[in-house]
Each structure stands twice: as structure tokens, then as C-alpha cells.
Amino acid sequence: MDFRFKRITIKIGSNVLARPDGTLDVTRMSSLVDQVSFLRKSGIEVIMVSSGAVASGRSELKTTKKLDSIAGRQLFSSVGQVKLINRYYELFRDHNIYVGQILTTKENFSTRRHYLNQKNCMSVMIENGVIPIVNENDTISVTELMFTDNDELSGLIASMMNSEVLIILSNIDGIYNGNPSDPESEVIRDIYNDKKQDLSGFIQPQKSNFGRGGMLTKSTIAKKVANEGIEVIIANGKKDNILIDLLKKESDTICTRFHASDKPISDVKKWIAHSDLFAKGELHINERAFKALSGPLATSLLPVGVEKIEGEFEKDDIVKILYKGESIGVGKVSTDSAKATESIGIQGSKPLIHYDYLYLD
């Protein structure tokens, strides 16, 4: 069987792995492992981002006192992650395939060094035939350091590992042009790299039953990742043989497909693109700078185009770029906040953010 890709990232949501009562759906999990094993043996390198630890732990423990949301996540995930990865290990072992666990936090992506450490670890695993299974380390994450959900994490992983496609498995077929429960609604099959294409009117705001995210998060991450040159597919993980059907060269499986930009960006820019959460300051630019940055030519951000600087930062920190109060991108700054402030409006100064370290939304 011919497939279109050589390296893929698969995100499996909590609603795919959990039964209505919150317990782990081992039958569905086994089916997905069978499919991943088939893909792996067909020569495809697979990276998995799997939710389900909290749901898995919640179904095991019967607590005697009420826990706040953070304590509950820490407790349930500490038990559930062991159960989840052990189940994966046993299921993949039946196919003579090894898996390895990667637990990470948002903070681990905040510096280029930590980012590359994770990438190198996962690269070694793949080179030695081990499938990485990634999840957020909920046992030590607190609210301000948590990913929005594993959709956000899967986008980071797919980008970091230069996957050709990111498949996000949910419990519905994709993004609908109306309420999914309305029989008149249909799945939007194709979304192209067009900033004018507004999906906000179609996306339901509610979050999933067992996960933290919803379709709004999925679409936001999907657009960003597709803009980096990686195709993104949102599909129903509860459908039999879904992964095999999606990856066939002539697939007509119902899903929402975000088509990849034909202008992929560098590895450094991929890291910067997902670093807005770690920004230490803000550069507010004028209209002339905005037009220059938005134009077709490669342009760095010069001090003459900056009107105001907020926050304190050091050389090589990540900063946000704003125009009329709206964030338009992020970049790695070439100097600290004090020197940057002194250079505001001065012509002939070196760039505050070089084009090679600049990412625009």
C-alpha cells in the first residue's frame, strides 16, 4: 500500500480514548495501535502525542475529599500516566515495536537549548525504531505553565520534528459549517493558506468532555502549523481504520484538511513561531514598518520603525511585535530593552529583529 508521507505526528485526544463514563477505551486504543504499527512497518516514521492520562487516573481513583482543578490533575495524571503508557507498551509489544515516553512542559520549549534537547532525544528514538509517545507532564504543570491542551503541544512537536503531516484525532469528523448535531451541517473538507478565510463563525466554542481544548484551539493550531509547511488533518479517531484511510494517496475520507503552505520556513523560525507564550516584552511599530514587514520582500525590523517598547528583556529574548495594539508576530531581539529603547526612531541602526529571527502571523 502506498502512502503519501514519510514522517507523521498523530495527536490522540482524550475523547477518543475515553468511554462516556471516563474509563479508558482499551478496544479503541488497541485499534489505533494496530494502525500505527501497520504504518510503522510500512516505512512511515510515527510520533504520537497522546492525551488520556487524567481520564485514565480518574477512572482508577475514588477520592474521599474534593480536590481543586490543579490538585486533581496532578493526582489523576500521576496514576493515569503510568497506566496509559504501560498499556501502550503492552499493545505495541505484541507488534514487536518499542515505544518511549516523553513527558514535557511548556517551559521546556522556552529556550532554544531546551527545544533542541527535546528534538535530539526524539530523533535518537526514531533513528533506533522507537516510537515517541508525548504528553504534557500534568504532575508538575500549574495553570500559567500549562499548554492550552495537547493540540497546542502536538503542533509544537510536529513543527519541531519536521513532520510532513499532523493528524489531530477527535470525536467528530472535522470542522463543520454549522452545529455538528444539525443534520444539515457539513464538514469543511479543505482549508487553504488564506488569511482571509475566517472560520470563527463555524466553530463551536464549547470544550470537549474529558480534554481541556475544543475545535477553536484545533483550528488555531492547525492554521499556524499549515503556514509552516506542514499539512494538518482533523478527523474522527473513533472511526475504524481512520489512520490508514487518511494517509492513502487517493484518500476521500471525510475530514478537515488544512493544506500546507508552499513556502516552508526555517527550523529556527518554527521555534520562534510557537514562542509567543514566552515573550518578555513588546515592540510597538509604526505604519511604515508594518507595511514593510507585510510586503513581499524579506525585511528586518529596524529601530526607526518602532514607536514604543514595553517590558524588560535581554539580548536573544523573544518579544512580541504589535501594530495598533494587535499582535502581528514575534521575534528574537538583538539587544536588551534599555539599548533598544535608546535606539527608537534612529535611522541607520542595526535591526532590532533580523529577518532570519522574525515570524509574522
Side-chain angles (χ1 to χ4, degrees), residues 148-169:
T148 305
D149 58 21
N150 269 347
D151 296 320
E152 184 180 16
L153 174 58
S154 70
L156 261 165
I157 295 296
S159 176
M160 180 177 76
M161 298 307 296
N162 295 316
S163 294
E164 296 168 87
V165 63
L166 166 62
I167 300 173
I168 298 177
L169 296 181

Side-chain angles (χ1 to χ4, degrees), residues 73-111:
R73 289 188 65 81
Q74 290 176 320
L75 175 63
F76 295 136
S77 65
S78 66
V79 174
Q81 187 63 37
V82 176
K83 178 182 176 182
L84 185 71
I85 197 66
N86 188 57
R87 183 72 71 177
Y88 272 126
Y89 176 81
E90 292 174 344
L91 290 171
F92 275 109
R93 184 176 58 183
D94 291 340
H95 296 275
N96 295 314
I97 294 174
Y98 288 99
V99 298
Q101 178 176 252
I102 301 286
L103 293 178
T104 189
T105 65
K106 182 184 290 187
E107 201 170 26
N108 290 338
F109 292 89
S110 62
T111 70

Side-chain angles (χ1 to χ4, degrees), residues 4 44 58 60 71 116 121 143 260 278 297 301 304 309 326 338:
R4 296 191 298 128
I44 298 177
R58 188 184 288 119
E60 286 289 311
L116 291 176
C121 173
T143 304
F278 316 115
L297 300 178
L301 178 58
V304 70
I309 291 176
E326 296 291 328

Side-chain angles (χ1 to χ4, degrees), residues 217-289:
T217 305
K218 289 176 175 59
S219 66
T220 301
I221 292 299
K223 277 188 170 182
K224 175 175 283 190
V225 174
N227 192 47
E228 296 166 18
I230 300 169
E231 184 172 311
V232 182
I233 299 170
I234 299 176
N236 193 334
K238 289 187 174 290
K239 282 188 172 180
D240 292 338
N241 217 42
I242 184 65
L243 292 172
I244 309 298
D245 291 341
L246 285 171
L247 293 172
K248 291 176 182 176
K249 284 191 175 180
E250 302 298 330
S251 175
D252 61 353
T253 302
I254 295 177
C255 65
T256 296
R257 194 179 300 269
F258 289 75
H259 292 264
S261 167
D262 57 2
K263 297 178 180 178
I265 62 177
S266 69
D267 286 351
V268 171
K269 286 200 175 195
K270 284 181 180 179
W271 167 64
I272 291 172
H274 294 270
S275 296
D276 54 324
L277 298 167
F278 316 115
K280 300 292 181 65
E282 298 177 350
L283 307 185
H284 295 257
I285 64 173
N286 57 32
E287 183 178 4
R288 184 177 176 184

